[in-house]
Amino acid sequence: MTELGDIFEPGSPHGRTYAVLVHHPRSSLPDIAQYLGVSEETAAASLNVLADLRAAVRVPGGDDGPAVWDAHAPESLSEAEARRRQQQINQMHTAAARLSETFRSVRRSPRSSGAVVPVFERLEMLADFEEMQTSARSCVKVIERGPYLSDLERERQLFQLKRNRLGEGIRYQTLYQDTIYQDPDRLRHALSTNASGAQARTLPEPPFKMIVSDDERASLVLHVDERRPDPMGLRITGSPALDLLIKTFDVLWSLAAPISVNPTAEALDERDRAILTLMGLGATDDTIARRLGMSRRTVVRRTARLLERLGASTRFQAGVQATRRGWL
């Protein structure tokens, strides 16, 4: 399903159509198809998707002339997409809070059976995190945030386990809290496992700590204080609760930004700041070049370098990452 943010990806089919409308306003369908190098039927289908997203509008022709198409302003579309994504994050936090209340109502009994079982000891939680990685057959999903359960030595052991499992073909997706950029050891481990094939992204405030193995079972950390009478965490197997956790992870993952190789901004000059600002507003490379008095080739080169530096795969993600780190 195409989302509004997809149109800011120049390589996507609908992104190419939107870019044509930006560069060639009030163009007819045959002209748009010619610019794109596709059939009129393909161009019409893409234009209808953009119209549904309110990114484009069909303007009837005057004096029985042909209808033409035009783009809505990139700035307003970018702001609307940012508001939509923030609303999704807020909804996830609200759902997580409601789910947490349900979890805490689980009867305290280490021998209880069923889909949700409470865990009361930190070492038992750590053993769960290790066992679920060891026994995974295809994929592991992790939400990692502080406060942490393990010391540095145990962290190193889990890191090596992750490296070994990656080598055996297990797919890892890890969602970190943004504070990882202030933790050199964990950041180094995250980047190292990425180089081995793992995927890692960041969010400012993930709602909880969790691991999911093969989308079949999960271990959720509620808190890390063993002196409290409430469960420290929960083991969850096939149930509506597990389905909700997996869906929550997938949505959070779609909203997160790829982890950056270099989160500092020491060498960021004013032109890069201006480019990032205009990128965040949805401006095209040609628009940026005109506004900043630069050649298009220079803008393309600087944009590619900024995307790489931020670890972002889209211009929208680059704007989000830059804002989070105080670059803008």
Side-chain angles (χ1 to χ4, degrees):
M1 179 180 177
T2 302
E3 296 182 349
L4 190 57
D6 296 336
I7 70 170
F8 295 117
E9 297 186 25
S12 69
H14 303 311
R16 291 181 59 231
T17 305
Y18 181 73
V20 164
L21 293 179
V22 171
H23 287 87
H24 305 282
R26 304 183 71 83
S27 293
S28 66
L29 176 60
D31 288 339
I32 293 169
Q34 184 176 1
Y35 292 138
L36 291 170
V38 299
S39 67
E40 290 188 20
E41 290 78 8
T42 300
S46 185
L47 287 167
N48 288 331
V49 171
L50 294 180
D52 290 339
L53 293 172
R54 298 185 179 180
V57 60
R58 184 176 181 272
V59 182
D63 298 328
D64 298 326
V68 295
W69 287 85
D70 205 348
H72 285 296
E75 292 86 349
S76 62
L77 298 178
S78 177
E79 291 172 1
E81 176 67 1
R83 288 194 298 271
R84 184 190 68 81
R85 295 197 179 198
Q86 186 58 53
Q87 184 179 19
Q88 282 189 312
I89 292 176
N90 293 339
Q91 289 172 346
M92 288 302 101
H93 280 289
T94 300
R98 289 198 301 266
L99 185 60
S100 181
E101 293 175 2
T102 303
F103 286 162
R104 291 181 185 279
S105 69
V106 175
R107 177 169 53 89
R108 177 175 181 173
S109 172
R111 296 180 178 274
S112 63
S113 60
V116 180
V117 179
V119 179
F120 294 92
E121 297 181 2
R122 181 180 62 86
L123 292 179
E124 194 174 358
M125 290 297 304
L126 276 171
D128 280 355
F129 268 65
E130 184 172 343
E131 189 277 330
M132 291 181 73
Q133 294 182 70
T134 301
S135 62
R137 303 185 307 277
S138 61
C139 65
V140 176
K141 299 174 178 177
V142 182
I143 298 178
E144 186 63 274
R145 57 161 298 158
Y148 298 99
L149 293 172
S150 56
D151 55 27
L152 287 178
E153 181 56 36
R154 189 64 174 268
E155 288 283 341
R156 294 189 187 96
Q157 295 173 6
L158 291 173
F159 165 70
Q160 188 57 50
L161 171 61
K162 186 175 183 179
R163 290 287 297 271
N164 293 342
R165 300 261 52 205
L166 283 166
E168 295 167 3
I170 303 301
R171 185 167 63 92
Y172 271 81
Q173 293 174 273
T174 305
L175 183 59
Y176 292 97
Q177 189 174 10
D178 272 354
T179 52
I180 191 173
Y181 292 120
Q182 285 77 55
D183 190 327
D185 287 332
R186 286 190 173 86
L187 179 60
R188 184 173 62 254
H189 288 172
L191 296 175
S192 177
T193 51
N194 270 20
S196 300
Q199 299 179 59
R201 298 185 180 185
T202 63
L203 271 181
E205 195 70 23
F208 42 70
K209 185 197 303 283
M210 178 183 71
I211 184 170
V212 180
S213 177
D214 297 325
D215 286 350
E216 295 175 353
R217 56 197 182 111
S219 185
L220 176 69
V221 179
L222 301 177
H223 61 81
V224 294
D225 186 355
E226 294 180 81
R227 296 169 297 179
R228 294 177 57 173
D230 300 326
M232 170 170 285
L234 297 164
R235 296 189 188 104
I236 305 166
T237 53
S239 65
L242 177 63
D243 295 339
L244 178 58
L245 287 175
I246 293 172
K247 290 178 182 177
T248 298
F249 178 92
D250 292 342
V251 171
L252 291 174
W253 183 262
S254 71
L255 297 172
I259 197 167
S260 174
V261 175
N262 181 8
T264 65
E266 294 176 354
L268 194 69
D269 61 26
E270 289 305 315
R271 285 200 167 187
D272 282 342
R273 291 181 192 277
I275 290 173
L276 279 172
T277 300
L278 292 170
M279 283 171 55
L281 294 174
T284 64
D285 291 334
D286 288 331
T287 300
I288 295 172
R290 286 197 303 270
R291 292 191 181 183
L292 300 182
M294 303 165 62
S295 70
R296 186 180 187 281
R297 178 176 297 180
T298 299
V299 171
V300 170
R301 185 176 66 251
R302 283 183 173 248
T303 298
R305 188 173 66 236
L306 286 168
L307 288 172
E308 180 180 3
R309 185 172 178 186
L310 286 160
S313 58
T314 68
R315 298 159 77 97
F316 181 84
Q317 287 179 338
V320 172
Q321 280 281 56
T323 301
R324 286 179 187 168
R325 296 174 193 173
W327 289 21
L328 299 178

